[in-house]
Amino acid sequence: MNFYKDHYKILDAIRRDRGMSVTQLCEGIIAERTYYRYLKSTGPFNMDAFIKLARRLHIEPSQLVIYSVFFKDGDPGTVKFIYRVGVEYYNDIKEHYEKVKAYVSGSSDYDLLLKAFISEYEYKANFITKEQHVENLKGLISKIENFSAKNIFHLTIYVFYAQVMGEVPHFTLLELGKLISEVDFRFSYIVTCIATERMLGVLIDYAQDEKETYERLFKANANLTLYNAINHFQMQNMKYEAFYELKNGNKEKSLKHLYKYAVAASALMREDAFNHTALQVQKHFGIDLLRLIRASK
Amino acid sequence: MENIELALQLDQLRRERKVTVEQMCKGVISRRNYSRLLSGEVDIQVDVLSKLLINLKVPLEEFSWYRFNHLMFKNIDEVNFHEVMRYGNIEKAAKEYPGILTKHTLGSVYAKKAVPLDILLVKHHLGMITKDDLLSQARIIIDMKSYAKSYIVQDDDVEALYAYSKICREDELLPIIQFEERAIFSGKIKLFTNFVEVAIILNHLTLMQALLRKKEMTPTDHNLFKRTVNSGLEFLQRSKLMPFDFMFFNLYKKYCDKYAINNPYVTFYYYAAIESSNHPEFADRAAQFVTKKDRDVYLSCLNDETIRKGVIYEKVFFDELL
């Protein structure tokens, strides 16, 4: 796929919208003739001039790339699909699921990640069994080339595996948790949010007595949610904070966070999801969510 | 050169991914030319960049996000200052970000309009400029005529207009309403933004706010407000953004209170949004926004067993539109 074929066209659309002439835009950067050549061509161009032109229009060149890929015709909706699986919003996912499934065929890191998300969704939507999901994830893990402990795409596949199995190949859960807490979230922020949030759930479910890794990962998650307006992550973080305080013996603080989680869940979750989380909270905290809301002042 | 930074970020990713220079450059450029890219001796061509990223197994769009996030964190003070202002905590903005008022060069994606407007608001709050000065300078920054003819808007445009719609004169509301109606419903305005969810919901909030600020709403205004609520709810069902849900229901509840519309579920979602907020700008101020009566309404709705059976927000859509 030629990801850069539209860059100059989008740049030019913005120029026209801003009422700036080609002369004004190009002055001191490139010759107008070169500008028109890039505009008509779908071939490569010089990044330095492109960055300068974009900044003259008060836009960041990276924004332009993202726009041309995601909001034009370059992307089949992979980000929308990842987002929906990550926040478990399935009402309008079918269209994105089908597009992404038809699109993914390679074995790049991003392809493997997308396949992991497809399998995760198919499992959650009961299209495949737990055993099939585990086999899919095992296959993806075996296809990872040059595993990097800092590659969030690789780590996320392991996290999905850990969610269903309570263990992962090649690492202990605590090692995986530690690696995730250390990734640079500026790269693929939303995938990092999903992996971190899910890994905290794994630690609660399968490594309850452990404190250090949970604390490390919880702090990473709290940091991530500072830059994240998505209710799902904010809400889950309240539950994880409640668990963190409980682990540290601060029962009152734990209840405060759990109350916020309960109120958010009461408004945002559908019945099946609410009942599921209420059972989990009962198991881990020994508390009834609805009773907690009603008793609070 | 502009792209030294780009080359260095690429190299940082390479090192993080434990890929050697040879592996990344194979079939694309020589090691020597790669070194020249890093030192800024030569410019990078976009096809070279794409091929290097393919060898690195990093999609170009992910690399662009990575670069964009670098920019955001490089100007994180401006971003944080603006967010505090967006959420209406002017006291905190004035107290915790005094450096922004005198910053020579603004560099964030909000640098052209939103942050300069925020700075004026803080200066007015601190008594450094009069209300007339605030409005006249804000009017220049906003340049409402540019919105009227624009078909591509950026984060900065959307954020600044939201702020301006709260302070402008009543006779300036009409062009804001017209622009936002076009932005939300015409499908002709493109959002050139990396925060598309925030931009969409802010457009809705700006329109709701501008309509509510009118002394008298006409039947057409009421219809537009209701269409905006429905459109915003449809969007919030998918995006669920905190604390925008609270801001949305805050305006929706004001409308219901002002025009005597009785729907307890508006209060239910309003109360739940503020009471559950963990957002630093709202969590500590939650008590300012809700009353005991709101809580009673919330608890009463909680007893409704049907509330979680349907789709979220189902009970607060308007169903009688012209």
Side-chain angles (χ1 to χ4, degrees), chain B residues 46-103:
Chain B
V46 73
D47 58 330
V48 171
L49 175 64
S50 288
K51 286 172 188 167
L52 291 174
L53 285 169
I54 287 169
N55 282 356
L56 204 53
K57 294 187 178 174
V58 172
L60 180 61
E61 65 274 22
E62 281 297 342
F63 182 64
S64 299
W65 275 111
Y66 179 70
R67 277 175 46 72
F68 182 77
N69 287 335
H70 263 281
L71 173 84
M72 289 298 281
F73 283 96
K74 199 170 148 187
N75 297 287
I76 197 70
D77 57 339
E78 271 175 52
V79 175
N80 288 342
F81 167 73
H82 172 64
E83 290 203 346
V84 170
M85 287 297 289
R86 181 208 280 149
Y87 301 132
N89 202 344
I90 198 164
E91 291 82 8
K92 183 176 171 183
K95 193 176 162 192
E96 295 188 8
Y97 299 91
I100 301 284
L101 301 193
T102 51
K103 197 171 172 183

Side-chain angles (χ1 to χ4, degrees), chain B residues 61-267:
Chain B
E61 65 274 22
E62 281 297 342
F63 182 64
S64 299
W65 275 111
Y66 179 70
R67 277 175 46 72
F68 182 77
N69 287 335
H70 263 281
L71 173 84
M72 289 298 281
F73 283 96
K74 199 170 148 187
N75 297 287
I76 197 70
D77 57 339
E78 271 175 52
V79 175
N80 288 342
F81 167 73
H82 172 64
E83 290 203 346
V84 170
M85 287 297 289
R86 181 208 280 149
Y87 301 132
N89 202 344
I90 198 164
E91 291 82 8
K92 183 176 171 183
K95 193 176 162 192
E96 295 188 8
Y97 299 91
I100 301 284
L101 301 193
T102 51
K103 197 171 172 183
H104 285 301
T105 312
L106 300 171
S108 70
V109 290
Y110 310 121
K112 200 180 163 202
K113 288 183 177 175
V115 171
L117 186 54
D118 293 335
I119 290 172
L120 286 179
L121 285 161
V122 171
K123 282 184 174 173
H124 175 250
H125 174 75
L126 295 173
M128 294 162 74
I129 58 172
T130 65
K131 179 82 190 255
D132 285 345
D133 287 341
L134 164 67
L135 286 177
S136 63
Q137 290 178 46
R139 215 167 278 134
I140 295 167
I141 290 170
I142 285 290
D143 184 18
M144 205 56 223
K145 281 181 189 162
S146 68
Y147 286 86
K149 61 183 182 187
S150 183
Y151 287 89
I152 300 175
V153 291
Q154 296 176 246
D155 298 295
D156 202 24
D157 302 312
V158 174
E159 298 272 354
L161 198 58
Y162 173 66
Y164 190 61
S165 70
K166 288 197 263 190
I167 58 164
C168 68
R169 289 196 319 251
E170 203 196 335
D171 62 354
E172 292 175 297
L173 290 170
L174 185 60
I176 296 176
I177 291 168
Q178 287 170 336
F179 169 78
E180 293 294 5
E181 184 178 7
R182 199 159 60 93
I184 296 168
F185 298 109
S186 78
K188 287 180 182 167
I189 292 189
K190 290 191 173 76
L191 291 170
F192 185 80
T193 164
N194 285 8
F195 306 112
V196 67
E197 289 89 358
V198 173
I200 290 174
I201 201 64
L202 275 181
N203 278 340
H204 285 79
L205 294 176
T206 306
L207 183 49
M208 289 163 79
Q209 186 165 251
L211 286 165
L212 266 175
R213 280 194 60 206
K214 287 183 82 171
K215 272 199 188 100
E216 282 183 33
M217 282 173 71
T218 65
T220 309
D221 291 335
H222 282 289
N223 192 48
L224 180 56
F225 191 93
K226 290 173 183 176
R227 282 169 63 212
T228 309
V229 165
N230 283 1
S231 164
L233 288 170
E234 269 178 31
F235 181 73
L236 280 174
Q237 282 178 334
R238 294 195 300 276
S239 63
K240 300 181 192 169
L241 296 180
M242 187 183 280
F244 297 95
D245 52 353
F246 166 69
M247 293 155 81
F248 182 88
F249 281 102
N250 185 26
L251 290 171
Y252 189 1
K253 188 169 177 294
K254 276 182 184 164
Y255 176 77
C256 291
D257 292 346
K258 189 171 174 183
Y259 295 102
I261 294 166
N262 182 28
N263 183 340
Y265 294 99
V266 176
T267 305

Side-chain angles (χ1 to χ4, degrees), chain A residues 17-18 55 229 260 296, chain B residues 2 150-151 154 242 277 295:
Chain A
D17 197 70
R18 298 282 178 272
R55 293 210 168 127
K260 279 178 179 278
S296 170
Chain B
E2 295 281 354
S150 183
Y151 287 89
Q154 296 176 246
M242 187 183 280
S277 179
R295 177 171 169 77

Side-chain angles (χ1 to χ4, degrees), chain A residues 207-261:
Chain A
Q208 282 181 39
D209 297 333
E210 200 281 333
K211 203 170 161 184
E212 192 189 324
T213 309
Y214 185 86
E215 181 170 342
R216 187 192 286 259
L217 196 61
F218 164 71
K219 286 184 175 168
N221 193 54
N223 194 30
L224 280 168
T225 53
L226 277 180
Y227 306 104
N228 178 338
I230 301 162
N231 259 327
H232 174 85
F233 297 112
Q234 296 283 346
M235 181 171 76
Q236 294 299 89
N237 192 51
M238 292 168 204
K239 184 174 70 181
Y240 297 134
E241 195 156 7
F243 200 71
Y244 172 75
E245 296 296 353
L246 192 67
K247 270 174 176 280
N248 286 292
N250 301 321
K251 203 173 173 193
E252 202 174 314
K253 279 187 182 173
S254 173
L255 275 178
K256 191 180 144 198
H257 295 298
L258 200 59
Y259 167 74
K260 279 178 179 278
Y261 174 73

